[in-house]
């Protein structure tokens, strides 16, 4: 992509309505624009990151045996009346009427809809276990939408739902999602602590939240210090992991077996995922049954597993930035490489830029070539701000001897080299 042809409305000034760094940087880097309170337009750069995150989640969900479906954003009120949550959900639910005065809503989550799919199509123990997931926009009319996409009203969520014949099998499904979440967040370069959680309006008892450590997080979290070392291991023994103490907010306040303060790390976290088992809550309420191997009707055991896809964009920035801007982990970067042409009217510099641009594209490396007639300072600032992991810098002095500079955004380290060598490093 050539920057002269892209749509990247960068802001020089820090927007003063944005309180946290990720919100400021997402606006300054031209990733998002607010349409209404808690409702955002995703511009090209922001959307690229959102899609990268989605792809990682989809890949790991599929590997874990999840089956992707797509449920509508608009749901009928009847299903929620059946489960008993229509009134309980309160003002966070956006309620709508169609032209026939039928009550509908913009889905804040999809337990009811997925349960309805299940009961109409799955009848036998032979079809279980099943894990159905979707990546779809949700709406919650949050009382205080804030911090940009971190707490929006409309937001993108991956929500998965497991169905099992008995508790033992349901616990396996739960543990499999728990492990999958650790993998997903690791691939995004995030350090995440799974903490015990209250299951809130959705109900249940086996419940963990995945928290990204960040001072701007809305949750207060407490965890045993050793947990960090355990989480660094490649193959994590989750049985062992779950024995360590880790809890957030009220769950910690109400814990009876709290650890002494010197054993605990107290910090703040951003909840990026939530897994919970809620047994037969919905299957009983909505009269969903499957035949077991004796021909008897049983209520399937369910769990649900959410990830805040759009919130993750902000959470990753909270965890990866400096005073100049964003520092994307390679796995979610909108572009892997930026090319900076220091002198657009110098023939040899431009020729070299054009050539490496073509070669990078041939090798399917995502590249943003700053070919604008802007000051050098503005070009450096732009690439630093948008967080491109690698920058290729080409000017007349280097071009004269056929060399470019390769800069690593995370460390600021710059090395002069031949284009072939840079290509070798980037592929
Ligand atoms: P929170 O406590 O932050 O309101 P929640 O417990 O209501 O979250 P869940 O119902 O578990 O959230 O939803 C699954 C995931 O969706 C959360 O872990 C979070 O990452 C994300 N999420 C929830 N509400 C929002 C929101 N208003 N804006 C962006 N992401 C959200
Ligand atoms: Mg909430």
């Amino acid at each position: 992509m050539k920057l002269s042809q892209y749509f990247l409305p960068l802001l020089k000034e820090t927007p003063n309505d944005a309180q946290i760094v990720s919100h400021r940087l997402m606006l300054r880097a031209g990733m998002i624009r607010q349409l209404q309170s808690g409702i955002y337009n995703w511009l090209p750069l922001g959307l690229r990151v959102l899609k990268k995150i989605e792809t990682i989640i989809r890949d790991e969900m599929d590997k874990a045996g999840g089956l992707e479906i797509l449920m509508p954003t608009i749901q009928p009120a009847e299903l929620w009346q059946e489960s008993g949550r229509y009134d309980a959900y309160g003002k966070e639910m956006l309620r709508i009427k169609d032209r026939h005065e039928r009550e509908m809503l913009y889905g804040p989550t999809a337990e009811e809809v997925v349960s309805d799919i299940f009961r109409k199509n799955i009848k036998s123990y032979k079809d279980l276990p099943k894990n159905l997931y979707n990546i779809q926009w949700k709406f919650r009319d949050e009382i205080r939408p804030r911090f940009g996409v971190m707490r929006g009203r409309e937001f993108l969520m991956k929500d998965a739902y497991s169905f099992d014949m008995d508790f033992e099998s349901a616990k396996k499904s739960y543990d499999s999602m728990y492990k999958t979440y650790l993998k997903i967040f690791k691939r995004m370069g995030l350090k995440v602590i799974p903490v015990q959680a209250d299951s809130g309006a959705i109900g249940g008892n086996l419940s963990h939240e995945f928290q990204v450590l960040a001072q701007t997080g809305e949750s207060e979290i407490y965890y045993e210090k050793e947990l960090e070392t355990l989480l660094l291991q490649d193959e994590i023994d989750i049985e062992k992991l779950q024995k360590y103490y880790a809890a957030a907010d009220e769950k910690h306040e109400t814990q009876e077996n709290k650890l002494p303060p010197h054993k605990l790390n107290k910090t703040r976290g951003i909840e990026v995922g939530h897994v919970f088992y809620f047994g037969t809550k919905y299957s009983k309420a909505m009269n969903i049954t499957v035949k077991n191997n004796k021909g008897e009707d049983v209520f399937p055991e369910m769990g649900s597993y959410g990830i805040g896809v759009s919130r993750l964009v902000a959470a990753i920035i909270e965890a990866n930035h400096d005073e100049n801007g964003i520092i994307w982990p390679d796995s979610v970067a909108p572009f892997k490489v930026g090319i900076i042409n220091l002198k657009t009217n110098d023939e040899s510099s431009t020729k070299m830029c054009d050539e490496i641009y073509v070669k990078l594209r041939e090798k399917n490396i995502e590249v943003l070539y700053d070919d604008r007639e802007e000051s050098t300072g503005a070009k450096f600032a732009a690439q630093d701000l948008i967080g491109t992991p690698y920058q290729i810098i080409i000017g007349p002095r280097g071009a004269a001897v056929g060399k470019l500079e390769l800069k690593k955004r995370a460390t600021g380290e710059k090395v002069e080299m031949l284009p072939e060598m840079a290509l070798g490093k980037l592929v």
Side-chain angles (χ1 to χ4, degrees):
M1 180 58 62
K2 289 189 175 166
L3 192 37
S4 62
Q5 285 153 34
Y6 203 42
F7 175 38
L8 188 68
L10 301 177
L11 304 178
K12 280 201 186 70
E13 307 297 322
T14 300
N16 48 20
D17 54 331
Q19 299 166 42
I20 61 169
V21 68
S22 59
H23 188 195
R24 288 196 290 269
L25 288 172
M26 287 182 78
L27 290 168
R28 286 191 53 213
M31 295 175 67
I32 52 164
R33 288 294 181 263
Q34 182 176 295
L35 180 63
Q36 289 180 63
S37 166
I39 303 180
Y40 290 85
N41 291 305
W42 288 80
L43 305 190
L45 194 82
L47 187 59
R48 287 180 85 98
V49 180
L50 194 66
K51 296 274 177 206
K52 288 266 164 81
I53 292 174
E54 226 183 284
T55 302
I56 293 176
I57 295 172
R58 182 174 286 117
D59 184 49
E60 293 296 336
M61 284 302 299
D62 291 348
K63 278 188 199 153
L67 302 166
E68 188 173 10
I69 58 175
L70 185 59
M71 294 180 272
T73 54
I74 306 290
Q75 307 178 358
E78 287 85 35
L79 286 180
W80 288 71
Q81 282 153 353
E82 249 190 277
S83 73
R85 287 207 294 177
Y86 193 55
D87 295 326
Y89 216 93
K91 290 194 166 174
E92 269 194 21
M93 179 184 279
L94 180 65
R95 295 156 207 258
I96 315 160
K97 271 191 189 146
D98 72 3
R99 65 190 334 167
H100 307 294
E101 294 290 305
R102 280 190 204 110
E103 287 180 59
M104 307 195 294
L105 57 108
Y106 193 130
T109 174
E111 280 81 4
E112 282 78 0
V113 175
V114 80
S115 295
D116 188 54
I117 295 176
F118 184 92
R119 73 175 163 191
K120 287 178 176 155
N121 298 286
I122 296 179
K123 308 279 181 205
S124 157
Y125 71 97
K126 289 180 190 154
D127 296 319
L128 264 55
K130 277 273 174 296
N131 179 319
L132 303 176
Y133 78 94
N134 83 160
I135 300 176
Q136 176 63 293
W137 294 90
K138 303 289 186 288
F139 195 95
R140 294 183 185 174
D141 206 352
E142 299 275 355
I143 186 161
R144 258 201 307 159
R146 56 179 186 162
F147 302 157
V149 299
M150 191 75 91
R151 181 168 297 285
R153 292 198 295 165
E154 189 180 36
F155 59 97
L156 190 59
M157 194 203 280
K158 185 284 299 180
D159 40 324
Y161 304 89
S162 63
F163 298 85
D164 289 89
M165 287 304 287
D166 51 40
F167 175 75
E168 202 184 316
S169 171
K171 175 79 167 63
K172 269 193 200 145
S173 297
Y174 182 91
D175 287 348
S176 155
M177 282 294 102
Y178 185 108
K179 272 193 190 159
T180 299
Y181 277 30
L182 290 176
K183 286 187 192 147
I184 288 172
F185 300 128
K186 195 171 208 170
R187 277 180 67 176
M188 295 173 190
L190 287 172
K191 196 163 138 189
V192 164
I193 306 272
V195 303
Q196 279 186 30
D198 275 330
S199 32
I202 300 181
N205 45 27
L206 193 51
S207 166
H208 288 90
E209 289 167 359
F210 290 74
Q211 300 273 356
V212 172
L213 304 184
Q215 280 318 308
T216 48
E218 290 181 288
S219 320
E220 188 125 66
I221 64 172
Y222 302 81
Y223 62 92
E224 244 179 296
K225 289 174 181 161
E226 288 106 282
L227 204 53
E228 287 200 22
T229 6
L230 203 67
L231 282 163
L232 289 175
Q233 293 166 1
D234 276 337
E235 273 301 314
I236 297 172
D237 177 352
I238 68 163
E239 291 280 315
K240 198 168 155 196
L241 191 73
Q242 290 176 3
K243 289 203 181 88
Y244 284 84
Y245 184 86
D249 301 320
E250 271 149 52
K251 185 75 184 175
H252 174 74
E253 297 309 326
T254 56
Q255 279 290 333
E256 281 171 13
N257 59 341
K258 263 189 241 166
L259 287 181
H262 72 271
K263 283 201 162 181
L264 287 179
N265 267 347
K266 175 185 175 216
T267 174
R268 300 196 72 82
I270 301 167
E271 181 194 323
V272 289
H274 197 168
V275 292
F276 41 73
Y277 159 75
F278 43 74
T280 55
K281 179 181 153 104
Y282 293 92
S283 49
K284 280 190 178 143
M286 295 178 69
N287 197 29
I288 304 165
T289 58
V290 272
K291 296 265 184 236
N292 68 10
N293 58 3
K294 296 185 194 104
E296 300 156 346
D297 287 323
V298 299
F299 295 116
E301 300 261 338
M302 291 173 63
S304 78
Y305 315 91
I307 292 184
V309 184
S310 46
R311 176 179 287 182
L312 268 168
V313 180
I316 293 170
I317 297 174
E318 288 294 327
N320 300 279
H321 66 270
D322 63 13
E323 63 284 1
N324 298 324
I326 305 165
I327 307 173
W328 293 114
D330 286 14
S331 61
V332 298
F335 294 97
K336 184 171 181 181
V337 189
I339 302 175
I340 297 177
N341 187 351
L342 294 179
K343 214 164 183 279
T344 41
N345 58 9
D346 176 67
E347 222 174 281
S348 56
S349 302
T350 302
K351 185 163 171 277
M352 217 174 137
C353 285
D354 290 350
E355 278 171 10
I356 195 139
Y357 176 64
V358 170
K359 285 194 180 138
L360 284 166
R361 285 171 56 106
E362 277 169 6
K363 297 199 186 297
N364 286 324
I365 294 171
E366 290 163 305
V367 48
L368 185 63
Y369 174 11
D370 196 345
D371 59 336
R372 299 172 304 166
E373 282 172 27
E374 280 281 348
S375 72
T376 328
K379 290 185 178 182
F380 283 130
Q383 295 285 356
D384 280 355
L385 173 62
I386 68 168
T388 324
Y390 301 92
Q391 297 169 16
I392 286 177
I393 303 158
I394 296 175
R397 195 184 50 80
V401 291
K403 286 191 170 173
L404 52 76
E405 259 186 336
L406 183 64
K407 176 180 150 184
K408 224 175 157 181
R409 172 68 178 90
T411 57
E413 173 201 7
K414 280 187 200 168
V415 184
E416 205 178 43
M417 61 183 77
L418 293 167
E420 293 69 45
M421 195 170 160
L423 278 169
K425 283 187 184 289
L426 293 169
V427 183

